Amino acid sequence: MTDDQQGKLEIETDMEFDLEDLKKDLETTRKTDRWSDAPADVKDIFHQLEWNIIEGEFHETTSFINPLLEAGVQARTLISGPMSTGIAEVGRRFKMDEYFLPEVMMSAKCMQSALVIIKPLIIAEKAASVGTCVIGTIQGDLHDIGKNIVSMMLEAAGFDVIDLGVSTPPEDFIAAIREHKPQIVGFSALLTTTMNMQGETLKLIIAEGLRDDVKVLVGGAPISQVWADKIGADAYCADALIAVEKAKACVGEHKDLLGGAPELRDHLLAMDSQ
Ligand code: B1M
C-alpha cells in the first residue's frame, strides 16, 4: 500500500448518532444512513469492522483494515466511523449489563490492534513542528484508547507529544511540564470517579506556579464544558479533531494569551460553534 493509494475516498463520518438507533440498526437490517456516501463494498466492510469490534473478535480485526485502506479510505475515517460506532455500542451494552468486563476488554483489544496499523499512517502526515503537548490519562484511570487517538492526531498535526500513559499522578505532570516546557497539557478521564483528578492535577499546576505557562485541555466521555469551567481548564475537547483544532489555536492565534486567561477560554469555546 503506497502513500498515494491512501485517502482517495471522502466519506462523511462527522454525524451524530443515537445509540438507540444504532442498536436497532445492528439488531435488524443494518440498513442505516451512516456512511451513505461510501461505495457499497466499503460500507459492507465498515459494518463488518463495526460488528467485529462489538463481538470482540480481535484476532480478525486487522483483516478488515487493509482492504479498507486499499479501497482508499482514510485512516482517520476508520477511527471516526466504524471504530467509533462499534466501541460506542460496546459501551452501551456494558452499561445495560448486556456485556461484562471480559467482553469490553476483547473489544478494546480490537481497537488497539486496528490502531497499530493506523498509527503510522496518521503519523506519516506529520507537519512541521508547531509546539509541544504533554498528555496523559489521569491518576486512577486506565482507559487510553481515546487518549492515544488524540496523541496521534496531535502528532500528525505537528506537535511533539509527550505521552505520560495511563493513571498519571499529578506530580508526573508537573515533572513533565518542567522538563519539556509544553504550551499544551491534556488530561483524559473516562470515569466519573477519576474525573476529579483533572481538577486536582490542575490545582497542583497552579500551586507550582506553572498555570500561566500552559494551556490546559481536557477530554473524555464524562467530561463537558461545564466540568472544564468548574475546574478552570482552558478548553473542553469533545473529540480528537476538536482537540487538534484547539491545540493549534493555542500555539497559533492565541499564543500570546496566558494559560487560565478568561479570553482564552472564551475564544476556544467559540470554536465549538464554528
Ligand atoms: Co471502561 N468504562 N471501565 N473499560 N469503558 C467506560 C468509560 C464506561 C462509561 C462504560 C459504561 O458503563 N457504559 C464506564 C464508566 C462509568 C462511569 O464512570 N460513570 C466504565 C467502567 C465502569 C470501567 C471499570 C470501572 C469497570 C470495572 O472494573 N468494573 C474499569 C475501570 C478501570 C480503570 O480505569 N481503573 C473499566 C475498564 C475498561 C477496560 C480496561 C476493559 C477498557 C479500556 C481499555 C483501554 O482503554 N486500554 C474499557 C473500555 C474500552 C470502555 C468503553 C467501553 C470504551 C472507552 C473507549 O475507548 N472509547 C467505555 C464506554 C464509553 O466511553 N462510552 C467505558 C472510545 C474512545 C475513542 O473514546 O475515550 O471517549 P474516548 O475518547 C475520545 C473523546 O472522549 C476525546 O477524544 C477521544 C477521541 O475522539 N478525548 C480527549 C479523550 N481524552 C481526551 C483528552 C484530551 C482531548 C480529548 O486532551 C487534550
Side-chain angles (χ1 to χ4, degrees):
M1 154 109 213
T2 61
D3 282 354
D4 44 322
Q5 277 175 297
Q6 208 219 332
K8 287 185 187 148
L9 270 183
E10 289 293 332
I11 300 167
E12 182 57 66
T13 56
D14 188 16
M15 58 181 74
E16 294 282 321
F17 60 86
D18 184 294
L19 272 178
E20 280 307 313
D21 290 345
L22 179 63
K23 176 173 176 278
K24 268 183 239 141
D25 285 350
L26 292 167
E27 285 174 354
T28 55
T29 58
R30 295 205 216 165
K31 282 193 184 131
T32 164
D33 286 339
R34 287 173 287 128
W35 319 311
S36 53
D37 48 354
D41 54 338
V42 166
K43 190 169 163 176
D44 194 41
I45 309 177
F46 271 22
H47 283 303
Q48 290 176 44
L49 174 58
E50 185 180 53
W51 200 247
N52 169 275
I53 292 168
I54 294 167
E55 298 208 311
E57 301 284 357
F58 58 88
H59 293 298
E60 287 161 22
T61 309
T62 55
S63 67
F64 301 109
I65 303 295
N66 283 328
L68 289 171
L69 295 172
E70 277 155 20
V73 178
Q74 295 185 30
R76 58 187 64 206
T77 304
L78 295 181
I79 297 176
S80 57
M83 290 172 65
S84 286
T85 48
I87 198 75
E89 169 64 6
V90 172
R92 188 198 64 77
R93 289 180 182 203
F94 186 51
K95 191 172 170 187
M96 302 311 290
D97 285 340
E98 293 168 24
Y99 269 14
F100 297 96
L101 213 46
E103 283 101 336
V104 182
M105 288 174 81
M106 281 160 59
S107 298
K109 279 180 93 166
C110 295
M111 295 287 281
Q112 283 154 342
S113 58
L115 289 174
V116 168
I117 301 183
I118 289 172
K119 183 172 178 178
L121 299 173
I122 292 194
I123 303 293
E125 299 166 10
K126 188 169 169 57
S129 181
V130 293
T132 302
C133 175
V134 163
I135 190 167
T137 303
I138 219 75
Q139 189 167 38
D141 198 323
L142 300 175
H143 295 84
D144 66 356
I145 296 171
K147 185 262 301 162
N148 291 346
I149 292 172
V150 175
S151 292
M152 86 174 81
M153 296 288 198
L154 284 169
E155 211 172 325
F159 284 88
D160 298 317
V161 178
I162 292 70
D163 187 336
L164 302 178
V166 295
S167 194
T168 310
E171 297 74 20
D172 288 10
F173 278 100
I174 301 297
I177 293 169
R178 293 228 156 89
E179 181 181 350
H180 300 286
K181 312 226 169 334
Q183 295 88 352
I184 315 287
V185 176
F187 301 153
S188 183
L190 267 285
L191 299 170
T192 45
T193 49
T194 58
M195 59 196 273
N196 194 43
M197 283 311 292
Q198 293 192 338
E200 294 305 311
T201 307
L202 188 46
K203 276 187 201 160
L204 192 62
I205 290 177
I206 296 167
E208 295 289 324
L210 296 166
R211 183 67 181 97
D212 288 354
D213 306 339
V214 290
K215 282 138 178 154
V216 176
L217 310 186
V218 293
I223 307 305
S224 62
Q225 184 62 44
V226 172
W227 175 254
D229 288 341
K230 184 172 174 190
I231 65 171
D234 295 305
Y236 159 63
C237 307
D239 61 35
L241 293 179
I242 293 172
V244 167
E245 288 316 309
K246 292 190 176 178
K248 281 185 357 197
C250 286
V251 295
E253 56 201 295
H254 306 312
K255 71 175 183 323
D256 296 328
L257 292 175
L258 297 179
E263 313 90 279
L264 176 64
R265 176 252 178 220
D266 294 347
H267 286 308
L268 296 176
L269 177 58
M271 293 175 72
D272 288 334
S273 46
Q274 280 165 14

